[in-house]
Amino acid sequence: MQIKLTSVTNCQEINILGLSKDELLSLILDFETQPKRASMRVNQIWSWIYSHGINSFDKMTNIDKKLLSKLKKVFNISTPAIEKKEISNDGTIKYLFCLEDQSKIETVFIPEEKRSTLCISSQVGCTLNCSFCHTGTQKLVRNLSSQEIVGQVIAVYDDLELWEKKRMRSNDTSCFEIITNIVFMGMGEPLLNYEEVKKACSVLMDNKGLDFSRRRITLSTAGIVPKIKTAHEEIGCMIAISLHATENKTRDILVPINKKWNLEQLLGSLRDDVQLRNSERVTFEYVMLDRINDSKEDAHRLVRLLQGLPSKVNLIPFNTWTGSQYKRSSSDRIKAFRDIIIKSRLPSPIRRPRGEDIMAACGQLKSKSIKEKAST
Ligand code: SAH
């Protein structure tokens, strides 16, 4: 995307948070025409924003004052506003953010023993209509911009005062006090908003800033097959596939995008097109729905489907929501299912539901404001 200053001089300021380095450079070149100096300014601004958490030009003390006063007039560095913050009994925190156009999205901070994961959204709502997913019942309003995707991360850094902790723990990747992992498992389908997600990842991964390694960012997709290989090659992050069924007739209902790209196409493409790197595995997410997809036959079929593909299966006990037609599988059925998968030597952890009491668990996100609006 080429951002031209002339196109916005009469409108409001440009939010530079979440722009790529190239985009930022093209903007700064309007003020600092000498390319080397412009590039130096970009690096300085970048470091203030993404290493120090500074969101005010006035605090960028190594930048010439005259230049700063010009920058201040046309640019801002702003994050989505926190409209509501809920803290679960288990320490999970759910944020409801209000965007500039008043759309609402949710983001979840999940502290664990040795790491903390931030689950971020890529769209307002979702178009995929997976029948077990609460977000799917909310109509899609729009894609998020890279600014709004990166903005969720920065807003949580600010709110939880993580900047200082991050600086002190820069070499420590097993720490629950800072965000160690980012997952695109909030609202929306990241591969249907590919360009903005890719740009946001380039900002999150930049080693002069937030410096998330590609192994610590996971993009979860319901199976937008043609984009999986591209994302794996271009973004380089970890890929998780929402599989949820072992037969097309069941998957067509649970994950309707299966009617466009079915199990054979999805797994075929993962086998043939995606070049996994050293020791890399594809994560398959499998929601455990009572008597729908949790039989021993399903487990055996799953093992057969994944044969020869370096995989890991995350079993997710279904998180319920009002109006849902499904029930969570009993823990006995989940364990029996897991035992079959483990016998085939596939890692198969059962995901502990987090933040259920505040509707922050997997698939429970849906911004109430939009629901209320729809019902009026
Ligand atoms: N659109 C993407 C990412 C968003 S959902 C995708 O489909 O992968 C993140 C994960 O939560 C997906 O695996 C999704 O299938 C799962 N999920 C959705 N609703 C759920 C629910 N009610 N209980 C448990 N997991 C759910």
Side-chain angles (χ1 to χ4, degrees), residues 86-277:
E86 288 170 274
I87 306 179
S88 152
N89 297 331
D90 67 17
T92 300
I93 304 175
K94 182 167 83 169
Y95 292 92
L96 175 70
F97 286 112
C98 180
L99 308 177
E100 250 178 52
D101 66 352
Q102 305 305 307
S103 296
K104 310 282 158 75
I105 51 165
E106 291 182 321
T107 304
V108 184
F109 175 78
I110 310 155
E112 288 171 87
E113 216 172 282
K114 289 199 167 158
R115 61 183 208 171
S116 285
T117 301
L118 192 68
C119 175
I120 60 177
S121 294
S122 56
Q123 297 181 312
V124 182
C126 191
T127 48
L128 295 181
N129 292 321
C130 298
S131 53
F132 57 92
C133 178
H134 199 204
T135 313
T137 63
Q138 177 182 334
K139 97 180 193 319
L140 174 87
V141 178
R142 63 173 175 82
N143 281 335
L144 295 184
S145 65
S146 170
Q147 281 109 318
E148 291 162 333
I149 297 171
V150 174
Q152 296 168 61
V153 180
I154 303 293
V156 174
Y157 264 81
D158 291 345
D159 183 62
L160 299 180
E161 299 177 0
L162 300 181
W163 294 105
E164 185 61 30
K165 286 180 190 150
K166 177 179 158 54
R167 265 199 302 283
M168 283 161 50
R169 307 259 183 164
S170 59
N171 295 320
D172 188 354
T173 46
S174 60
C175 170
F176 68 92
E177 282 189 300
I178 54 174
I179 297 168
T180 54
N181 294 61
I182 291 182
V183 294
F184 281 87
M185 293 187 189
M187 298 161 77
E189 168 51 51
L191 293 188
L192 290 180
N193 182 17
Y194 182 68
E195 290 305 326
E196 294 301 303
V197 165
K198 178 179 154 190
K199 194 198 298 180
C201 287
S202 79
V203 174
L204 299 173
M205 289 158 118
D206 189 283
N207 62 7
K208 293 284 189 302
L210 290 167
D211 196 21
F212 281 95
S213 90
R214 57 173 201 86
R215 287 191 170 270
R216 295 192 170 267
I217 298 185
T218 301
L219 207 148
S220 175
T221 177
I224 312 298
V225 170
K227 280 274 185 282
I228 297 176
K229 172 180 190 268
T230 319
H232 185 260
E233 274 172 14
E234 294 185 349
I235 304 177
C237 61
M238 300 294 107
I239 302 286
I241 307 286
S242 295
L243 197 68
H244 305 320
T246 59
E247 292 181 300
N248 284 318
K249 64 176 192 310
T250 312
R251 197 165 190 267
D252 280 349
I253 296 167
L254 297 181
V255 187
I257 197 74
N258 193 65
K259 291 182 204 149
K260 189 154 187 188
W261 293 289
N262 65 21
L263 281 168
E264 290 71 33
Q265 290 165 305
L266 174 61
L267 293 164
S269 165
L270 289 168
R271 274 206 176 82
D272 302 338
D273 307 334
V274 177
Q275 298 286 319
L276 295 177
R277 301 168 180 100

